Amino acid sequence: MLVLLPPSEGKAPSAGGAPLKLESLSLPALTEAREAVLGELVELCAGDEDKAREVLGLSEGLRGEIAKNAELRTAGARPAGQIYTGVLYDALDLASLDTAAKKRAARSLLVFSGLWGAVRVTDRIPSYRCSMGVKLPGVGALGTHWRTPMASALPEAAGDGLVLDLRSSAYAGAWKPKGEIAGRTATVRVLHAPTRKVVSHFNKATKGRIVRSLLSVGAAPKGPAQLVEALRDLGYVVEVEPPAGAGKAWTLDVLVTEVH
């Protein structure tokens, strides 16, 4: 099972340890594309702060993120699972998983990123600020920049098993499963049962809980249908929309009655 996650806007501080080594990150097919984004982002943020803030879409209160980006090559790095914070990652709470579940997380979780493309939770990265919606002057729109290298790297990462896609729309555009892979991909929406509406906070929190539940019990669904069974066994209320045709993903609606 490969689980695709969005990153978090907020991130924990970088540690004081060894700096980033791009060549050590998972999915080495993305290294060249990562270097292109990293190089331009560092140069941008080491120059005109006002221009950098405009390009990155940062408020005045987040001006400090620019200086942080300028030092990405020398800043200390930590496992990505410790860098990403926020509602989904608080609910997932990787640090409190038992040893077996942590090993499953290392194998199955892939976090999408405007800067790195996608990383495993064990990949060591520094704290940064660069969303997938950014358009750098040289590289261009990051969502577009990542599509070609992702098209080579992600099918190999997906292997022949289930792909559980929990990404937000901005990150989903960087790689869309196609053909046979799409047929074993399940996208998940979390809906407030009484209104059938998505509410951002508990959508993220429930997705974090879903991943934690699957990792904790060692669930290994082979495909979307088996995933539905596993989620229902875990107590989730799930409605299923099978693929509309060949090359289309499954859609699962998880219904939640309480907003928390």
Side-chain angles (χ1 to χ4, degrees):
M1 178 174 64
L2 182 68
V3 182
L4 310 181
L5 298 175
S8 57
E9 287 297 321
K11 298 173 183 70
S14 296
L20 166 77
K21 291 184 178 180
L22 270 185
E23 66 276 11
S24 72
L25 298 181
S26 302
L27 307 182
L30 302 180
T31 300
E32 184 177 346
R34 287 168 175 153
E35 178 58 49
V37 179
L38 177 63
E40 186 170 355
L41 182 63
V42 169
E43 182 179 359
L44 172 70
C45 292
D48 186 330
E49 280 196 1
D50 289 330
K51 179 181 179 181
R53 190 163 66 85
E54 180 182 358
V55 170
L56 296 177
L58 301 178
S59 66
E60 178 64 33
L62 293 174
R63 184 178 287 269
E65 299 292 298
I66 297 169
K68 184 167 69 175
N69 281 349
E71 299 175 352
L72 284 172
R73 291 193 185 275
T74 56
R78 301 168 62 186
Q82 297 176 21
I83 291 290
Y84 292 114
T85 60
V87 175
L88 188 154
Y89 291 91
D90 287 348
L92 174 53
D93 195 9
L94 285 168
S96 68
L97 290 172
D98 64 32
T99 300
K102 285 178 179 176
K103 289 180 179 179
R104 295 181 197 111
R107 293 193 302 267
S108 62
L109 304 188
L110 199 63
V111 184
F112 275 61
S113 161
L115 175 52
W116 315 116
V119 291
R120 302 282 186 184
V121 293
T122 50
D123 285 332
R124 296 179 69 258
I125 60 172
S127 183
Y128 68 96
R129 190 79 175 214
C130 184
S131 70
M132 191 65 81
V134 165
K135 184 177 181 179
L136 293 173
V139 168
L142 294 182
T144 301
H145 172 76
W146 286 113
R147 284 175 194 160
T148 297
M150 287 282 193
S152 298
L154 265 294
E156 181 178 353
D160 58 3
L162 168 71
V163 178
L164 173 54
D165 191 351
L166 302 178
R167 296 173 295 169
S168 55
S169 58
Y171 292 89
W175 180 65
K176 295 183 178 180
K178 296 181 179 179
E180 181 268 335
I181 298 177
R184 49 186 165 87
T185 297
T187 61
V188 173
R189 299 187 304 174
V190 180
L191 304 181
H192 185 214
T195 63
R196 285 300 199 277
K197 291 181 179 179
V198 174
V199 180
S200 179
H201 178 89
F202 82 88
N203 171 57
K204 294 176 182 177
T206 302
K207 286 180 177 179
R209 293 187 192 106
I210 285 172
V211 177
R212 182 180 177 85
S213 297
L214 293 170
L215 293 173
S216 295
V217 301
K222 300 298 185 183
Q226 292 77 20
L227 173 64
V228 172
E229 293 178 7
L231 291 176
R232 287 173 175 166
D233 288 344
L234 288 166
Y236 292 97
V237 178
V238 184
E239 294 181 350
V240 185
E241 184 178 326
K248 301 293 184 181
W250 292 56
T251 299
L252 309 185
D253 287 339
V254 176
L255 305 183
V256 180
T257 56
E258 295 181 3
V259 180
H260 61 90

